[in-house]
Amino acid sequence: MKLASNEFLQAASAALQEQDKAQRRTIIGQFLPLARDAAASAYGDFDGLRAHMKRVRRHTTAHLSHYLEQFEEAAVQHGNQVHFVANAEQLNSKVLSICQAHSARRVAKGKSMVTEETGLNELLLKAGLDVLETDLGEYIIQQAGETPSHIVGPALHKSLAEIRQLFLDKHKLGDRDLDTVSEVVEEARSVLREKFLAADVGIIGANALIAEHGTSMLVTNEGNGDLCANLPPVLIVCTTFERILPRAEDAMALQRLLVRSATGQPQTCYTSFYTGPRREDDVDGPLETHIILLDNKRSDILASDYSEMLDCIRCGACLNHCPIYIGVGGHAYGWVYPGPMGSVLTPLLNSLEQAHQLPNACTSCGRCAEVCPANIPLPDLLRDLRQDESVQQLKPARWRNGLRLHAWLLRHPALYQSLTGWAMSVLGLLGKRRGTFRRLPFAGSWTGQRDFPAPEGGGTFMRQYAARRRRGGKRG
Amino acid sequence: MDKPHPKRKRSRQRRDVALMVTCLADLMRPSVGFSAIRLLERAGCRVTVPEQQTCCGQPAYNSGEVDAAVPVARAVIEAFEPFDYVVVPSGSCAGMLNHHYPALFEGEWHERALALSAKTWELTRFLTEVARLPAPRHKPLESAVTYHDSCAGLRELGVHQQPRQLLQEQCGVQVSELSQNQVCCGFGGTFCARMPDISAKMADDKLDNALATGAAVVAGGDLGCLLHLAGRARRRGLALEFRHVAELLAGDPRGPGIGEGRE
Ligand code: SF4
């Protein structure tokens, strides 16, 4: 997927103009946090579970190679083929070569952010394969030729009316109404069912890899993952190594956190475990299974000060709670991962130079960190990225110089107080009548959208206070 | 602060409090500083305003110019460490001292930052948890008031119920709650200037919610948010009055609200 994160400001401003979409996002931003809060409190000690998971993650990353080896060994024993790949190209060409080895023509995909990250579909389509997204949201945006706007609900930006029109245009099924949600879903289901049966290869992601059993876990609400995994003769699980957890019970703890944080459900409709190809007595299942573990800079992240970002379980809660994400929507972020987690991941998985606007799309309000089930200190990581932005001289020079001059002035109280004392007295006088300025030199980025309130008048506090003390001699 | 109080718990019980005025109150709204002094004195404290203070260094820190913020933090630590308590009429600046200063240093300065952190209080927390205000002497407020919880105060310091309790006790007002009162107003320090369109949209959401309460006054504990909201409200021509909670508590909403003209 083409990276357009440095156009964030323009894209965001454009998104703010789209009233309908903005309205729908506002509703999402109210509904999903309510659902998450209700689920977290119904659970009981949700924060205790978060802390427990954090300890499990710390332990796992400290013994990462041990658990990865354990996973690989167990998975191979069950008949899986395990591939470690370094980057996007390697993942894509691995998948392609598996497809080609089976002379596959049709690929059915479950929802996978990792393959969005690597741009797999594009490559497979170019190679002449028929690639079908089977998650309803992914299917909708694939039909519309769009990209996901949310990591859990990829088509959350689309209205029912848009989806209805899309299906009427794309499915040549003759006359029907599609007036209700269930009619729309029913149509997608019937179109998709046939495709599942015809697919040669199924591709899914994973929410966790269980080291002790060599099993991968997938959490869905639609069951499409199971159909992708079990109907086609070949299954490919595309995921990243940081999904690894030591035990099945750790994966269950993750699942409890994930589902409540993502949708506010206590449980998704499907939680599936894939262990390997069909065994002798099995009635169904794939004949051949591959697990591809992608690195794509994650080893670098692990070794950096941003390693906690690898604890992310992709629940999307930080998106739903972020007023900036809700304000501008996912597409403005210009890549696969939006919102607070995306503002950290996009620069790390690409380069800060290509995405340095994103860490600035944050008011440090802290709401994301408050709900992140993985307890990732997102605002701190974003601030650290802003620091890197400054060190790498990516920030506009006038901002950087202005802030540094200000900080220098702060360390010279006498000078600061005399300069501000003078300036505020003047501004106070000039703004006395109206109380605000509509325009002010050097303050265009403030006054573009708001008036600049005039200082209260009478000069700065420090000046007035000093004068009162001189007059009254009273201890302040 | 003008008139000394007639004998209230003198000497031994008087707490030695340094007021950190904050740069925005210093520059834009001195009455917040004077209100804070009056409140603290009424609560039986001896208040000093260290002369060497300017600002906590948050603009540079939050914008990633951390190395420029470090010497500012050192100067603040030096200026305020002689006192028993440091009280700040801002959740965001108090949060900076409470949570972020210690993370800036190692070794001796880290210890000094921790010691400062331990005695630094946001104003409304201090007045509910450390030094209590006596019963009010001023008239109850007549206007309906809504309250904007600034993010740093709310999430870093747990400031939420304290200003409401004080407004109830001191001004006889029950806050008319904003819907979505956990959501940021879009100020965010330099964010509001770096991403003005998004910032304005967030302000609009907050202002619309404020209008929906029917309250005439929007109070808050952080001038940054209030200046941003007042500026946007004026631009939209909304008839809302913006005040720092300290002004209301001190019984001193005499002058115009934030961003209002005066004759
Ligand atoms: S950063 Fe946290 S809240 Fe955001 S998607 Fe990842 S786990 Fe969920």
Coordinates of all heavy atoms in Angstrom, one line a residue, chain A residues 151 309 311-319 341 368 371-374 376 378, ligand 1:
Chain A
I151 N -8.6 -0.9 11.9 CA -8.0 -2.2 11.9 C -8.9 -3.4 12.3 O -8.6 -4.5 12.0 CB -6.7 -2.3 12.9 CG1 -7.1 -1.9 14.3 CG2 -5.6 -1.3 12.3 CD1 -5.9 -2.1 15.3
M309 N 5.8 -1.4 21.8 CA 4.8 -1.4 20.7 C 4.5 -2.7 20.2 O 3.4 -3.0 19.6 CB 5.3 -0.4 19.6 CG 4.2 0.0 18.7 SD 2.8 0.9 19.5 CE 1.4 0.2 18.7
D311 N 3.8 -5.2 21.9 CA 2.8 -5.8 22.7 C 1.4 -5.6 22.1 O 0.4 -6.2 22.7 CB 2.8 -5.3 24.1 CG 4.1 -5.6 24.8 OD1 4.9 -6.4 24.3 OD2 4.4 -4.9 25.9
C312 N 1.2 -4.8 21.1 CA -0.1 -4.4 20.6 C -0.8 -5.7 20.1 O -0.3 -6.5 19.4 CB 0.1 -3.4 19.5 SG -1.4 -3.1 18.6
I313 N -2.1 -5.8 20.5 CA -2.9 -7.0 20.1 C -3.9 -6.6 19.1 O -4.8 -7.4 18.7 CB -3.5 -7.7 21.3 CG1 -4.5 -6.7 22.0 CG2 -2.5 -8.2 22.3 CD1 -5.3 -7.4 23.1
R314 N -3.8 -5.4 18.5 CA -4.6 -5.0 17.4 C -6.1 -5.0 17.7 O -6.9 -5.4 16.9 CB -4.4 -5.9 16.1 CG -2.9 -6.0 15.7 CD -2.4 -4.7 15.1 NE -1.1 -4.9 14.4 CZ 0.1 -4.7 15.0 NH1 0.1 -4.3 16.2 NH2 1.2 -4.9 14.3
C315 N -6.4 -4.4 18.9 CA -7.8 -4.4 19.3 C -8.6 -3.2 18.7 O -9.8 -3.2 18.6 CB -8.0 -4.5 20.8 SG -7.5 -2.9 21.5
G316 N -7.8 -2.2 18.4 CA -8.5 -0.9 17.9 C -9.1 0.0 18.9 O -9.6 1.0 18.6
A317 N -8.9 -0.4 20.2 CA -9.5 0.5 21.2 C -8.9 1.9 21.2 O -9.6 2.9 21.4 CB -9.3 -0.1 22.6
C318 N -7.6 2.0 20.9 CA -7.0 3.3 20.9 C -7.5 4.1 19.8 O -7.6 5.4 19.9 CB -5.4 3.2 20.9 SG -4.8 2.3 19.4
L319 N -7.9 3.5 18.7 CA -8.5 4.3 17.6 C -9.9 4.8 18.1 O -10.2 6.0 17.9 CB -8.8 3.4 16.4 CG -7.6 3.0 15.4 CD1 -6.5 2.3 16.1 CD2 -8.1 2.2 14.3
M341 N -2.0 3.8 17.6 CA -1.1 2.7 17.4 C -0.4 2.9 16.0 O 0.8 2.6 15.8 CB -1.8 1.4 17.5 CG -3.0 1.1 16.6 SD -2.7 0.5 15.0 CE -2.3 -1.2 15.3
C368 N -6.0 7.0 25.0 CA -5.6 5.7 24.4 C -4.9 4.8 25.4 O -5.2 3.6 25.6 CB -4.7 5.9 23.2 SG -3.3 7.0 23.5
V371 N -7.0 3.0 28.0 CA -7.8 1.8 27.6 C -7.0 0.7 26.9 O -7.5 -0.4 26.8 CB -9.0 2.2 26.7 CG1 -10.0 3.1 27.4 CG2 -8.5 2.8 25.4
C372 N -5.8 1.0 26.5 CA -5.0 0.0 25.8 C -4.8 -1.3 26.6 O -4.3 -1.2 27.7 CB -3.6 0.6 25.4 SG -2.5 -0.7 24.7
P373 N -5.4 -2.4 26.2 CA -5.3 -3.6 27.0 C -3.9 -4.1 27.1 O -3.6 -4.9 28.1 CB -6.1 -4.6 26.1 CG -6.1 -4.1 24.8 CD -6.1 -2.6 24.9
A374 N -3.0 -3.7 26.2 CA -1.6 -4.1 26.4 C -0.8 -3.1 27.2 O 0.4 -3.2 27.3 CB -1.0 -4.2 25.0
I376 N 0.2 -0.2 26.7 CA 1.3 0.5 25.9 C 1.2 2.0 26.2 O 0.2 2.6 26.0 CB 1.2 0.2 24.4 CG1 1.3 -1.3 24.2 CG2 2.3 1.0 23.6 CD1 1.0 -1.7 22.7
L378 N 1.2 4.8 24.9 CA 1.2 5.4 23.5 C 1.6 6.9 23.5 O 2.5 7.3 22.7 CB -0.1 5.2 22.9 CG -0.4 3.7 22.5 CD1 -1.9 3.5 22.5 CD2 0.2 3.3 21.2
Ligands
SF4_1 S1 -2.1 -0.1 20.9 FE1 -3.3 -1.0 22.5 S2 -5.3 -0.1 22.2 FE2 -4.2 0.2 20.3 S3 -4.7 -1.5 19.0 FE3 -2.8 -2.0 20.1 S4 -3.5 -3.1 21.9 FE4 -5.3 -2.1 21.1

